[in-house]
Amino acid sequence: MRLTVAQALVRFLSRQRTERDGVERRLVQGCLGIFGHGNVAGIGQALASEGAGTGSALPYYLARNEQAMVHTAVGYARQANRLSAFACTSSIGPGATNMVTGAALATINRLPVLLLPGDIFATRVASPVLQELEDPRSYDASVNDCLKPVSRFWDRINRPEQLPSALLAAMRVLTDPADTGAVTLALPQDVQAEAYDWPEELFAERVWHIGRPVPEPAALARAVRAIERSRRPLIVAGGGVRYSEAWEGLRAFAERYGVPVGETQAGKGALPHDHPLAVGAVGHTGTAAADALAREADLVIGIGTRYSDFTTASRTLFGAADAFVNVNVAAFDAYKHAAVPVVADARAAIEALEEALRGRWRADDDWTERATRLAGDWRDVVAGAYAGEALTQPVVLGIVNEAALAAAGGSVVVNAAGSMPGDLHKLWRAPDPEAYHVEYGYSCMGYEIAGGLGVKLAAPEREVFVLVGDGSYLMMAQEIATAVQEGVKLTIVLVDNQGFASIGNLSESVGARRLGTAYRLRGGSGDLDGDRLPVDLAANAASLGADVLRATDPGSLRAALAKAVEATRTTVVYVETVPGAAPDSGAWWDVPVAEEGVPEIRERYEEAKRAQRPYL
């Protein structure tokens, strides 16, 4: 079959499917792209010739920024529980390097995305071409080499014959829960357009089975022994619970054995927010309930978590733990903290543990009762934080949470950076694990709107609430235009607090005096301490095609959200907040303090450092 390399690529991608538990899906749902001289004659022509509409074999979506389109692909992949993905194509040069941040975000979060950047001429006859990086050490270098360290698989297709093996390797990584992330195939622009006689079997429909690896019997036995020795266990539920769809098994395990469940950002909603054993967020942004239990637990059972520094409060939180049992499909994460590792699918492992422990063990009754009591106390704290007449950030979140819980067909909240992720982790009432989407592996400012678009593409039946601060909005708002173009309805709550509130607080805590964290004109002192910037973010959102509503008090915010939910177009609800902190568990986070800065702040830092332990 004679096709160009790009045509063969597009046709191959359109034939790939995944299967888990007997359910098949399209593996590559579509292609997001921005065209330039590095991909328009190759992938652009191939998509056009194959038919690029939403009903075609590989639908094409026009994005506005290359980083943003990778964020959209990541949002889609997470909402699809890693069972389906998007491809992203760019031209060479800045289009390709713009994707580096998105690739890092995908790989850190263990989420599949396929990157197809254009590259320089493989034949080099026209070198240096526009936007080519000329490296005097090698003619083989291009800016696409920047994508190597942030990709789980990277290859450059210099000859048509190289394409089949590269494609199969790329699909393997995209569908491997233990090894997934960004996959990059760099495509020299002349090779994209080169024709070749391909074997027809390359384009046969392929189904990639996503299995559920079961625990190795000896590893399961070791985990059972560790659990049976514990009296005060705590489960830390991470994203692996969600991606393996293990929430029903987790609920049954927790109830049968009386084990409280704390949640990471990726695992939030693993148990419904009102479940008696759901003690909420754990770690630096944790609840008082979960963190009190974490400090006292004699065993930590991590399920599908990579134990970020926020989860462990920079290794100061689990001070009483005698052991860890880590269930993870990736051995890299299962072995962390010298744990008893159970390398397996989360759902399969929970089912095996539940069966092995039946009738042999249960957590101490007073521990279970204490967890239930603390969880109830925290729900009262949340209700108090959500109440109030002033539009503090917690009050705004509470009103949005009300609207989300009432939305017909379910909802998803999307956020990524600033002070809101911490407040959401502690306060948001998530009814299920697919209702909460906070990107906190990379915590990338600008992710929110683009990621929300991907979430909505994956779950069109759900109401998607994008929460974005003014700092994040100013970094990447243009995908509003993409949502409007595609007829994808988002409810975007734009929270304006005139600067970087989260870093402002952190800056003050380390003695940096909130430098560079307020959106102010240059004042008479020479600092940025003058009047507020004359910027109208609501007007900007309207200029991108969204409907815009402004809220000035709790009543008008509720009314605006009700109108936005009923709308059929992307709607931005703009609200200015006043200072007001969310309740805090007191868990620490290790951010260095200058030794020759403010002495009392440095002393507090050194005191906190003494509580760190290696978890061995």
Side-chain angles (χ1 to χ4, degrees), residues 272-549:
H273 66 93
D274 54 357
H275 190 283
L277 287 169
V279 296
V282 65
H284 174 62
T285 54
T287 70
D291 284 357
L293 296 169
R295 293 183 181 98
E296 300 169 18
D298 61 1
L299 176 70
V300 179
I301 305 172
I303 305 178
T305 176
R306 65 188 188 95
Y307 288 111
S308 76
D309 62 339
F310 263 56
T311 299
T312 67
S314 296
R315 300 196 179 207
T316 62
L317 193 56
F318 304 114
D322 298 320
F324 286 74
V325 170
N326 289 346
V327 173
N328 206 294
V329 72
F332 178 75
D333 292 317
Y335 278 83
K336 286 178 178 176
H337 304 316
V340 176
V342 180
V343 181
D345 170 78
R347 194 168 91 180
I350 291 170
E351 291 171 354
L353 286 169
E354 203 268 348
E355 180 64 28
L357 288 164
R358 187 170 297 179
R360 298 171 51 179
W361 171 86
R362 182 178 167 87
D364 284 354
D365 289 343
D366 58 352
W367 175 253
T368 304
E369 291 166 5
R370 173 166 161 71
T372 301
R373 184 173 64 255
L374 289 173
D377 291 345
W378 183 255
R379 283 191 283 274
D380 293 338
V381 170
V382 171
Y386 278 175
E389 293 305 314
L391 282 178
T392 63
Q393 186 163 281
V395 169
V396 169
L397 297 185
I399 294 170
V400 179
N401 204 171
E402 288 176 12
L405 289 170
S411 64
V412 188
V413 64
V414 181
N415 185 244
S419 58
M420 276 193 281
D423 289 356
L424 285 163
H425 196 204
K426 287 181 281 193
L427 302 176
W428 192 263
R429 297 167 296 187
D432 66 79
E434 296 183 316
Y436 185 86
H437 184 114
V438 172
E439 189 286 298
Y440 218 55
Y442 211 38
S443 187
C444 184
M445 295 184 72
Y447 173 86
E448 292 90 345
I449 295 170
L453 173 60
V455 170
K456 187 67 174 181
L457 289 171
E461 74 284 357
R462 290 193 178 227
E463 187 70 26
V464 176
F465 292 87
V466 174
L467 282 162
V468 59
D470 51 327
S472 253
Y473 180 89
L474 283 169
M475 288 194 177
M476 196 167 291
Q478 70 283 337
E479 297 313 308
I480 288 175
T482 304
V484 171
Q485 159 195 289
E486 295 294 339
V488 174
K489 184 274 180 85
L490 302 174
T491 296
I492 301 170
V493 182
L494 173 50
V495 178
D496 191 346
N497 55 22
Q498 293 295 304
F500 303 127
S502 174
I503 297 303
N505 294 333
L506 180 62
S507 172
E508 191 168 60
S509 74
V510 299
R513 300 184 298 106
R514 294 183 175 266
L515 179 66
T517 61
Y519 289 163
R520 298 281 174 172
L521 296 170
R522 186 76 65 183
S525 66
D527 288 339
L528 295 173
D529 58 1
D531 293 336
R532 289 174 52 164
L533 289 179
V535 175
D536 190 337
L537 299 181
N540 175 267
S543 77
L544 293 171
D547 293 339
V548 176
L549 304 168

Side-chain angles (χ1 to χ4, degrees), residues 109-360:
N109 284 287
R110 296 14 176 203
L111 291 166
V113 58
L114 176 61
L115 307 184
L116 305 171
D119 212 325
I120 58 178
F121 279 68
T123 56
R124 303 178 184 169
V125 294
S127 296
V129 298
L130 178 64
Q131 300 175 329
E132 178 177 346
L133 174 70
E134 286 192 276
D135 189 335
R137 298 167 297 178
S138 171
Y139 285 123
D140 191 47
S142 86
V143 297
N144 287 331
D145 291 73
C146 295
L147 286 157
K148 285 182 178 179
V150 293
S151 298
R152 296 300 295 163
F153 178 80
W154 185 101
D155 200 9
R156 180 179 284 124
I157 312 302
N158 285 308
R159 291 293 309 139
E161 295 92 333
Q162 297 170 348
L163 183 65
S165 60
L167 286 173
L168 294 173
M171 299 306 106
R172 173 188 61 80
V173 175
L174 289 175
T175 57
D176 183 349
D179 197 35
T180 198
V183 171
T184 299
L185 297 181
L187 301 167
Q189 53 188 300
D190 53 343
V191 176
Q192 288 183 50
E194 185 176 344
Y196 185 74
D197 292 316
W198 305 95
E200 289 191 9
E201 58 263 36
L202 179 64
F203 308 113
E205 184 173 285
R206 282 181 173 78
V207 179
W208 298 82
H209 173 68
I210 299 177
R212 293 191 179 278
V214 298
E216 187 260 328
L220 180 67
R222 288 190 291 269
V224 167
R225 287 196 296 271
I227 293 171
E228 286 180 326
R229 288 194 294 268
S230 72
R231 306 269 67 86
R232 304 183 310 279
L234 174 68
I235 290 172
V236 175
V241 172
R242 172 183 179 161
Y243 302 137
S244 67
E245 299 173 350
W247 45 82
E248 291 300 331
L250 176 64
R251 183 206 292 252
F253 184 94
E255 291 173 351
R256 181 179 295 275
Y257 300 112
V259 184
V261 177
E263 311 160 317
T264 70
Q265 284 279 17
K268 190 167 174 66
L271 289 186
H273 66 93
D274 54 357
H275 190 283
L277 287 169
V279 296
V282 65
H284 174 62
T285 54
T287 70
D291 284 357
L293 296 169
R295 293 183 181 98
E296 300 169 18
D298 61 1
L299 176 70
V300 179
I301 305 172
I303 305 178
T305 176
R306 65 188 188 95
Y307 288 111
S308 76
D309 62 339
F310 263 56
T311 299
T312 67
S314 296
R315 300 196 179 207
T316 62
L317 193 56
F318 304 114
D322 298 320
F324 286 74
V325 170
N326 289 346
V327 173
N328 206 294
V329 72
F332 178 75
D333 292 317
Y335 278 83
K336 286 178 178 176
H337 304 316
V340 176
V342 180
V343 181
D345 170 78
R347 194 168 91 180
I350 291 170
E351 291 171 354
L353 286 169
E354 203 268 348
E355 180 64 28
L357 288 164
R358 187 170 297 179
R360 298 171 51 179

